[in-house]
Amino acid sequence: MTLHIRKVTANIGAHVSGVDLARPLDEETRAALREALNVHKALVFDDVHLDDEGQQAFVRHFGDVTTAHPTVAAVDGAPNVLPVDSEQGSANHWHTDVTFVLNPPQASTLRSITVPPYGGETLIASSAAAYRQLPEPLRALADNLWAEHTNDYDYAVPAEEVDEKRAAQRARFTSIAFRTVHPVVRVHPLTGERGLFIGGFAQRIVGLSVGESRRILDLLQSYVTRPENVLRHRWSHNQLVLFDNRITQHYAVDNYDRLPRLLHRVTAAGDVPVGVEGKESYSIEGDAAHYTSVAA
């Protein structure tokens, strides 16, 4: 079959056809998909017929598979698969997956299991496009900043909405405390592109107060989430989305009246982020060895 890659927006996203993800990929196809991911940041595959094992096999073409999550339970019988389930709440905040550990996943896959009749889109934003759009003074500032990421982030949930179930979910999410310092501008190890490496788990700029940090992070984040930088993916049955977790953020839109919505997530182990000056991220608290290997 011939691989076809169709660009979706100017800054992010492509539809891919002409490949059967249920079969092992030859080296030429794997390299072509990697290059497409480098260019487009997020790839959408339709008419995908995979089970959990098949999804993991596909992800292994890009690196070691992580376990489901450092603190959240996996799918029963599948320790490397995370259920993204409406019954467990929604990740309706902008984030890059698991940036509170030293080496967050390099790539994430989401596969549709149950799709609501309306809503439930996933937004994916290019942090590379955001960086390119920064005015030069802001770019120079961002190049020299480092941010502390933690899983004990500000949920900003009104007190009246924190019921027993939600409190238990938060307790599980923070059951192991993680704090890691990453460059605000990360250099992609394959392309050399610079991207804003922030999102919801970035809580404080090193050397600044919380209030000062919030103002700067909000300003930089506003470039990431510009509509021109965002792919809005409306899920249908038997789809898989692959996105480069090193240079994107994503957001699950909570607009489906909490109808059943289930995706399965499998991620590929990542490398330790590197900033503009070649310095690596460093851990303050929390060991994620049970969750991920470190990619070379």
Side-chain angles (χ1 to χ4, degrees):
M1 299 180 72
T2 304
L3 196 65
H4 295 284
I5 298 170
R6 177 174 58 85
K7 192 171 183 175
V8 176
T9 81
N11 289 326
I12 185 169
H15 271 99
V16 180
S17 59
V19 59
D20 183 358
L21 301 189
R23 302 176 63 180
L25 303 180
D26 58 42
E27 181 55 32
E28 182 180 359
T29 303
R30 189 204 66 79
L33 291 179
R34 172 64 81 179
E35 178 60 21
L37 187 61
N38 289 344
V39 172
H40 300 290
K41 318 306 182 208
L43 304 178
V44 178
F45 301 83
D46 296 324
D47 196 28
V48 171
H49 298 280
L50 294 174
D51 56 12
D52 289 334
E53 283 297 325
Q55 186 175 358
Q56 293 173 70
F58 172 68
V59 173
R60 287 191 182 96
H61 288 100
F62 300 92
D64 291 343
V65 172
T66 72
T67 57
H69 191 273
T71 58
V72 178
V75 170
D76 286 344
N80 304 99
V81 182
L82 181 75
V84 181
D85 191 343
S86 59
E87 292 188 2
Q88 302 300 320
S90 59
N92 57 334
H93 63 99
W94 282 104
H95 66 287
T96 299
D97 283 338
V98 200
T99 59
F100 45 83
V101 304
L102 182 61
N103 61 306
Q106 56 148 312
S108 297
T109 60
L110 293 171
R111 177 171 58 93
S112 57
I113 308 296
T114 304
V115 175
Y118 53 84
E121 299 92 345
T122 296
L123 310 184
I124 307 174
S126 171
S127 59
Y131 178 82
R132 291 194 300 269
Q133 294 161 5
L134 291 176
E136 180 55 37
L138 272 183
R139 207 178 303 148
L141 173 65
D143 283 346
N144 293 287
L145 296 177
W146 291 71
E148 182 179 309
H149 296 233
T150 175
N151 59 330
D152 191 16
Y153 69 97
D154 180 10
Y155 284 68
V157 177
E160 61 271 17
E161 293 185 18
V162 182
D163 56 16
E164 186 175 325
K165 180 179 179 181
R166 184 167 295 203
Q169 289 168 352
R170 173 163 182 146
R172 183 171 62 248
F173 194 86
T174 59
S175 58
I176 303 174
F178 289 97
R179 289 192 299 145
T180 301
V181 174
H182 294 301
V184 166
V185 177
R186 181 178 185 176
V187 179
H188 195 285
L190 299 181
T191 67
E193 281 186 291
R194 297 180 183 185
L196 292 175
F197 198 62
I198 44 178
F201 300 121
Q203 291 295 291
R204 187 179 65 84
I205 301 292
V206 174
L208 299 183
S209 70
V210 172
E212 292 166 333
S213 298
R214 193 71 269 151
R215 293 185 184 94
I216 292 174
L217 288 169
D218 286 347
L219 176 59
L220 296 176
Q221 184 68 14
S222 71
Y223 284 83
V224 177
T225 58
R226 283 181 167 182
E228 293 83 358
N229 297 335
V230 175
L231 170 68
R232 188 180 186 105
H233 177 65
R234 172 73 175 98
W235 288 97
S236 59
H237 295 288
N238 299 321
Q239 284 188 318
L240 182 137
V241 174
L242 165 68
F243 53 90
D244 191 330
N245 198 57
R246 294 177 287 206
I247 204 158
T248 62
Q249 291 183 29
H250 55 284
Y251 182 112
V253 184
D254 187 4
N255 61 350
Y256 51 99
D257 293 326
R258 292 299 170 90
L259 293 165
R261 177 185 184 271
L262 175 63
L263 311 174
H264 279 187
R265 187 180 87 186
V266 178
T267 58
D271 50 311
V272 177
V274 174
V276 171
E277 296 181 348
K279 296 179 181 178
E280 292 187 338
S281 301
Y282 57 93
S283 176
I284 297 174
E285 181 180 9
D287 181 0
H290 65 291
Y291 164 63
T292 180
S293 59
V294 179

